[in-house]
Amino acid sequence: MENCARGCAPGVRFCQKLNRLKTLDDDVMATSLKRCLSTVDLALLGVGGMVGSGLYVLTGTVAKDTAGPAVVLSFLIAGIASLMAALCYAEFGARVPKTGSAYMFTYVSVGEIWAFLIGWNVILEYMIGGAAVARAWSGYLDSIFNHTIQNFTETHIMRWDVPFIAHYPDLLAAGLLLVATLFISFGVRVSSWLNHIFSTISMVVIAFILIFGFMLADPANWSKKEGGFAPFGASGVMAGTATCFYAFVGFDVIAASSEETKNPQKAIPIATAISLVLAATAYILVSTVLTLMVPWHTLDPNSALSDAFFRRGYSWAGFIVAIGSICAMNTVLLSNLFSLPRIVYAMAEDGLFFSVFSRVNPVTKVPVIAIIVFGSLMALLALIFDLEALVQFLSIGTLLAYTFVAASIITMAQESGELKEYESFSDKLQLVEAQKKSKERRAPGQLKACWEPHLGRVLGDCEPGEVVAFSVLALMVSAVSLCAVLVFGSNQLQLPVWSLSLLVVVFGLAFLLSLALIWVHEQQHNIQTFQVPLVPFIPGASILLNIFLMLKLSPLTWVRFAIWLAAGLLVYFGYGIWHSKEGLREPPPRDMAARYVVLPSGSLVETVQAVQPDTQGEATPQHTPAPTPEDQQGKR
């Protein structure tokens, strides 16, 4: 047995390396970046990240092909679903005001390798998202001028016919990204003011669309003659929800900016709520106006809003809508370019990515090298790949990040907030007070007192948090199994109805049982920052929805995702695991250990025990006699 234990020791240490957690500094507000963003700045960043090209393109596409006028309900349900993920981000952004967003949250609560993989995939999502928006921007502008730019490029510059890449290099999209990268490198205030300008113009155009659009609205376009309000039924509404969900993925820019926020504990939750409400309201009202102005089945998916005004005889209004769409796409572009270098900076600062990207310019207080390098890579993607190829690779990394953040919220809610070491008399007084309070309320991770008579015999002997950790794992497994049955059961697997129903019931009950086991254990209370309500139910519902949407993605997306994941593992095991600052931290000194003993009378006795170094392979036990009353009097 001893030889077996020694043989397994390297494997155990290796697993501990992979799952080590990030240790936060005592002062979480300390940073080399500049804290200058207010609640308004964050809210506008969030609105800019969500209300972009989707407002001008996605509304028409979903209304015509998927849901009809019921696209209004699709956006409403998608907004509520996004709110569950946004609440999780808001709690972490307030409690851990460090840049890095989902990467940082996973590192603090789940483990190092999982945090690296989340950060690695979020980097790809931001790069592809920015390139896709730049491509959409240039394509929209090119369509206004009757594709003059494309024709000139193909005729006088270059055209290629190569699989998986565009037919011509989009110099306009690449140039736009390089110019935006230059402005972003000037500092967070310049980025914020640019976003203010574009967001303000976009919101003014949205207000114009709503006011003028409602004046032109015709309720007959929702009548049965035109197909009714929900021509594709409930399935069409839910299919539209899956598509509309991606319109709200930009809110994580708020959490990514927490290290540059003046008062993140208050600003992050408030800005998240404001931006999500504004974005959802804009999507719902614009889709309402659009489907009331013209019949839903006659919409042009590529430019639905401007085309709707043109068909009603107001071509000048279509020009105003075009200006608003370009400004809205600029805000999304700035949001991607703003967030991406900060994720890279956070990973490099922790030693998991190349250290050159952690350098901060002393004047602008931003990671200039990370901004320039990854802004140039984004421009390269926009130059050679077409919009369709880029969009196919979106969303999987974002949904995976949402899933891990929701699971982290459940885990963090069950962790004990007690101090682990006590080095002063005042610290011990805090322990005495904690022990007094524990008689009234148990520590986080322990079984609630009201459930002790019912579940105490089964769960009472488990260590605090042990049942919760197992339940979170069971929650993830049951969620994946349930969603796999729902997505693939009837079509790909061709299961009979009785077996499909049985599997849904079994995995559904396992999911609910996991939630119930987490709920019957105590959670953290009296946290000074924002907390997600109804834990674990809201994070659990978010996990289920995210996994369902991931399984709805195409197989080719999963293949590309696997290739990118393999590249990330090479980077981590080739560089990150050896340069991780958590791995390089010196272990605490072990030559002296101080312990306080709380006697039944309430008095405190300090004992000091010397620990001898191991010089002969086995430590010799040192016995320290109990202190006599004279010793205690001498100490006092």
Side-chain angles (χ1 to χ4, degrees):
M1 291 294 293
E2 184 177 353
N3 292 333
C4 180
R6 290 180 179 177
C8 296
V12 172
R13 287 195 295 269
F14 181 71
C15 291
Q16 289 175 344
K17 282 184 178 181
L18 298 181
N19 292 282
R20 55 195 170 199
L21 304 179
K22 179 176 175 60
T23 304
L24 295 176
D25 298 330
D26 294 334
D27 184 8
V28 294
M29 295 292 288
T31 177
S32 57
L33 303 178
K34 185 178 181 180
R35 291 194 179 274
C36 58
L37 296 178
S38 64
T39 304
V40 175
D41 297 329
L42 292 177
L44 289 177
L45 276 174
V47 171
M50 288 182 281
V51 181
S53 56
L55 187 73
Y56 298 91
V57 178
L58 195 64
T59 49
T61 302
V62 176
K64 182 174 182 178
D65 300 331
T66 310
V71 63
V72 176
L73 298 180
S74 296
F75 275 116
L76 177 62
I77 299 172
I80 295 173
S82 300
L83 180 63
M84 295 187 292
L87 289 175
C88 298
Y89 272 76
E91 175 172 336
F92 264 118
R95 292 177 63 178
V96 187
K98 295 291 184 181
T99 192
S101 189
Y103 155 77
M104 181 62 65
F105 307 155
T106 307
Y107 202 173
V108 169
S109 58
V110 179
E112 183 173 284
I113 188 171
W114 307 107
F116 177 86
L117 293 178
I118 290 297
W120 183 252
N121 284 292
V122 170
I123 287 174
L124 180 65
E125 294 298 318
Y126 278 129
M127 288 177 59
I128 293 179
V133 172
R135 269 278 182 175
W137 189 97
S138 76
Y140 199 93
L141 188 66
D142 194 23
S143 65
I144 295 177
F145 296 103
N146 199 23
H147 302 288
T148 303
I149 301 174
Q150 177 182 348
N151 295 331
F152 179 84
T153 304
E154 292 181 348
T155 304
H156 297 89
I157 299 178
M158 185 182 295
R159 173 184 170 85
W160 50 56
D161 293 310
V162 181
F164 304 112
I165 65 175
H167 295 300
Y168 68 98
D170 196 333
L171 299 175
L172 181 61
L176 173 67
L177 281 168
L178 291 176
V179 171
T181 299
L182 180 64
F183 279 107
I184 292 289
S185 64
F186 288 155
V188 64
R189 291 308 308 171
V190 175
S191 308
S192 179
W193 278 110
L194 275 176
N195 183 73
H196 283 16
I197 294 171
F198 290 127
S199 295
T200 301
I201 296 174
S202 178
M203 287 189 288
V204 169
V205 172
I206 291 173
F208 165 78
I209 292 172
L210 296 178
I211 295 173
F212 196 40
F214 274 118
M215 294 173 59
L216 301 175
D218 184 2
N221 290 322
W222 284 10
S223 65
K224 290 184 179 180
K225 180 182 177 181
E226 300 293 346
F229 178 73
F232 299 96
S235 61
V237 173
M238 295 311 298
T241 299
T243 304
C244 295
F245 179 82
Y246 304 124
F248 298 97
V249 298
F251 63 79
D252 57 345
V253 66
I254 298 176
S257 310
S258 57
E259 194 166 340
E260 294 161 285
T261 304
K262 296 177 183 177
N263 187 3
Q265 285 76 17
K266 292 184 178 180
I268 297 292
I270 294 174
T272 301
I274 291 174
S275 62
L276 197 61
V277 168
L278 287 177
T281 303
Y283 276 111
I284 291 171
L285 292 179
V286 168
S287 59
T288 301
V289 166
L290 178 62
T291 52
L292 284 174
M293 286 177 60
V294 295
W296 61 270
H297 52 81
T298 64
L299 291 171
D300 181 3
N302 296 321
S303 55
L305 279 170
S306 57
D307 181 68
F309 281 107
F310 178 80
R311 288 167 54 194
R312 293 300 299 268
Y314 299 95
S315 56
W316 57 269
F319 180 74
I320 294 176
V321 170
I323 294 175
S325 66
I326 290 175
C327 290
M329 283 187 272
N330 284 340
T331 61
V332 178
L333 200 64
L334 290 173
S335 174
N336 280 273
L337 280 171
F338 184 89
S339 301
L340 172 58
R342 282 149 181 83
I343 302 289
V344 176
Y345 163 80
M347 296 175 66
E349 182 73 9
D350 291 333
L352 302 185
F353 207 45
F354 305 111
S355 59
V356 67
F357 296 125
S358 65
R359 297 178 185 175
V360 176
N361 186 281
V363 178
T364 60
K365 298 294 183 180
V366 294
V368 174
I369 296 178
I371 291 173
I372 294 175
V373 169
F374 283 90
S376 300
L377 289 176
M378 196 182 294
L380 181 62
L381 288 177
L383 182 69
I384 63 177
F385 289 102
D386 60 12
L387 183 59
E388 183 179 357
L390 292 169
V391 170
Q392 286 179 355
F393 204 9
L394 280 174
S395 304
I396 188 168
T398 303
L399 290 170
L400 188 65
Y402 287 179
T403 303
F404 268 86
V405 170
S408 300
I409 286 293
I410 299 176
T411 305
M412 291 284 285
Q414 303 292 338
E415 290 183 353
S416 174
E418 293 182 0
L419 300 173
K420 295 183 179 179
E421 294 185 11
Y422 308 96
E423 299 179 353
S424 65
F425 189 80
S426 61
D427 289 338
K428 181 43 63 180
L429 290 180
Q430 293 180 15
L431 175 62
V432 174
E433 291 298 319
Q435 288 177 338
K436 291 179 180 179
K437 293 179 180 179
S438 66
K439 297 179 181 179
E440 302 174 0
R441 176 178 290 155
R442 300 188 175 193
Q446 291 184 341
L447 193 65
K448 292 179 180 179
C450 61
W451 291 99
E452 182 69 31
H454 309 286
L455 302 174
R457 292 183 179 180
V458 180
L459 305 176
D461 295 335
C462 298
E463 293 293 327
E466 185 178 355
V467 176
V468 173
F470 176 80
S471 299
V472 171
L473 179 60
L475 181 78
M476 299 288 286
V477 173
S478 59
V480 172
S481 303
L482 177 60
C483 293
V485 171
L486 291 174
V487 174
F488 307 116
S490 58
N491 295 327
Q492 286 82 353
L493 299 179
Q494 295 182 350
L495 296 175
V497 176
W498 68 268
S499 61
L500 179 65
S501 304
L502 179 62
L503 290 175
V504 169
V505 170
V506 170
F507 292 131
L509 289 176
F511 181 81
L512 295 176
L513 180 61
S514 302
L515 286 177
L517 286 175
I518 298 170
W519 179 69
V520 298
H521 287 77
E522 288 287 354
Q523 301 175 17
Q524 283 191 15
H525 297 278
N526 298 325
I527 299 295
Q528 299 300 316
T529 57
F530 172 78
Q531 283 187 286
V532 177
L534 299 176
V535 175
F537 301 108
I538 287 180
S542 180
I543 290 172
L544 191 65
L545 175 65
N546 297 332
I547 293 175
F548 178 81
L549 293 176
M550 278 193 288
L551 294 181
K552 295 285 286 185
L553 297 174
S554 66
L556 184 59
T557 301
W558 280 95
V559 171
R560 293 170 176 170
F561 173 72
I563 295 172
W564 179 253
L565 210 61
L569 291 174
L570 288 177
V571 174
Y572 176 74
F573 288 111
Y575 181 89
I577 194 173
W578 308 106
H579 295 82
S580 169
K581 290 187 178 179
E582 289 301 320
L584 299 176
R585 286 180 182 271
E586 294 183 357
R590 303 186 64 178
D591 58 339
M592 191 70 67
R595 297 291 183 269
Y596 290 90
V597 179
V598 185
L599 299 180
S601 61
S603 60
L604 302 176
V605 176
E606 178 183 4
T607 63
V608 179
Q609 179 178 2
V611 180
Q612 300 295 333
D614 184 7
T615 58
Q616 299 179 356
E618 292 186 5
T620 303
Q622 301 292 325
H623 300 282
T624 302
T628 63
E630 290 79 5
D631 294 333
Q632 299 177 24
Q633 185 66 29
K635 288 181 182 180
R636 297 192 182 100

